[in-house]
Amino acid sequence: MDELLDFSGKVALITGAGGGFGRLLAQGLAKRGCKLILSDINQTNLDETLASLNGQDNAIAMICDVSKEQDCKNMVDTALEKFGRVDIGVNNAGIAHEMQPLHQLSEDTMHSQFNVNVNGVLFGMKYQIEAMLKQGEGHVLNISSLAGLGGAPKGGAYSAAKHAVVGLTKTAAVEYARKGVRCNAICPFYSPTAILGELTSEEGQALLARGTPIKRLSDPQEVVNAMLLILSPGNSYMTGQTIAIDGGVTAW
C-alpha cells in the first residue's frame, strides 16, 4: 500500500457515519487499515454501514446525538477504552433546513441548526482534541460547506452554522498547532447525499449543476477521496485550511 494512504494502526472517529460521506469514508479508511469508532443517530443506517465494511474486526458502531455533549464524550471514551488513542476525528454529522428567505427563518430552525451543525462539531472537537493533546498528535477534519464560505440564498441558518464551523476550525488550528494537533475543514458544493432531500432528483441536480463551471455535481466518492488525501498521514503540514470541493464555483 502507498504509504501516503496507509492508515494502519490509526484510530478514527466519524460522526454521521450512517450514510453519505460518513459511510464512504468509513469504508475507505477501513480498507486502508484504520480502526474505527462510528456513530450516527439512526441505528438502522449505522448497522448498514457496519455491514458494508466486510467483516472489519476493528470497527465499533454506537448511537450518538452530536447535539448532546455527553454522547460526543462517550465516543472518545470508547475509542480510548478499546484502542487506546484517537488519531483522527471527523465531525461529519449535520442537518439542512427547508429553504426559505432570511426574514422567514424561525427561532426553532436557528436553534436546530446550531445545536447539530455547530455544537455537534464543537463537542466532538472538545473531547477529540483533549485526547490528542495527551498523546501529542492528531488531526481533526470538520465538514463545513460551500455555504460556510459565502452566502446561501434561502439557506441562511445553515450558512450561518457552517460559517461557525469554519471559525471553530481556524481557531483550533491556531490554538493547537504547536502541540501537534491539526484541524482542517472541507467545504463541498452540493453532492447527491440524503441531506439534499428532494433536490437529489435528476431535475434538482441538473438545476444545481448550472451553478458550477464543471456543470455537474460531485459524486460523493469524489468528495471522500479528497477527505482521504487531506487525512493522509503524509499530509502533516496542513492546518487551518478550509478546502472548497466545488467544481470550480469559488474560481468565478
Side-chain angles (χ1 to χ4, degrees):
M1 184 183 298
D2 190 317
E3 62 182 12
L4 287 177
L5 290 174
D6 185 357
F7 290 88
S8 298
K10 301 293 184 183
V11 178
L13 281 64
I14 306 173
T15 67
F21 299 150
R23 177 179 292 177
L24 290 172
L25 181 61
Q27 293 167 352
L29 288 172
K31 73 180 183 180
R32 292 172 174 85
C34 196
K35 302 172 184 178
L36 300 170
I37 303 290
L38 307 174
S39 78
D40 201 273
I41 200 168
N42 184 302
Q43 184 68 59
T44 300
N45 291 346
L46 195 55
D47 290 343
E48 290 175 357
T49 294
L50 201 59
S52 77
L53 301 182
N54 299 319
Q56 162 70 292
D57 294 330
N58 290 319
I60 297 170
M62 56 191 299
I63 289 292
C64 175
D65 178 348
V66 296
S67 70
K68 296 178 179 178
E69 183 172 354
Q70 186 62 46
D71 280 16
C72 295
K73 182 178 186 299
N74 289 344
M75 278 193 73
V76 173
D77 288 346
T78 299
L80 295 176
E81 177 184 347
K82 299 295 184 180
F83 301 128
R85 59 187 295 114
V86 175
D87 297 291
I88 295 167
V90 182
N91 297 300
N92 168 69
I95 58 172
H97 64 79
E98 182 181 349
M99 297 184 73
Q100 53 193 165
L102 199 71
H103 72 280
Q104 293 180 1
L105 288 173
S106 69
E107 182 177 5
D108 286 346
T109 296
M110 292 299 294
H111 282 322
S112 64
Q113 284 295 305
F114 275 75
N115 283 341
V116 175
N117 292 345
V118 182
N119 290 346
V121 170
L122 173 61
F123 296 152
M125 294 172 69
K126 178 177 179 178
Y127 294 102
Q128 294 157 11
I129 290 172
E130 184 179 70
M132 292 170 182
L133 289 173
K134 291 177 181 177
Q135 63 200 33
E137 61 180 349
H139 189 179
V140 173
L141 180 61
N142 295 325
I143 311 308
S144 180
S145 166
L146 208 61
L149 297 178
K154 297 188 178 181
Y158 180 79
S159 178
K162 291 301 187 177
H163 272 78
V165 172
V166 168
L168 289 170
T169 300
K170 291 187 174 184
T171 298
V174 174
E175 287 184 352
Y176 302 111
R178 287 181 293 176
K179 299 178 181 179
V181 177
R182 297 177 298 110
C183 190
N184 294 292
I186 62 165
C187 299
F189 190 59
Y190 296 109
S191 191
T193 62
I195 199 170
L196 279 189
E198 63 185 28
L199 290 175
T200 56
S201 69
E202 187 175 331
E203 296 79 9
Q205 290 186 49
L207 179 64
L208 295 172
R210 290 169 56 189
T212 69
I214 208 168
K215 298 305 178 189
R216 65 175 178 85
L217 301 190
S218 67
D219 183 283
Q221 186 65 59
E222 292 178 294
V223 176
V224 171
N225 290 345
M227 294 167 72
L228 288 167
L229 292 171
I230 292 167
L231 290 170
S232 164
N235 186 29
S236 54
Y237 198 63
M238 177 188 286
T239 194
Q241 301 307 302
T242 51
I243 307 300
I245 306 173
D246 65 356
V249 174
T250 51
W252 264 340

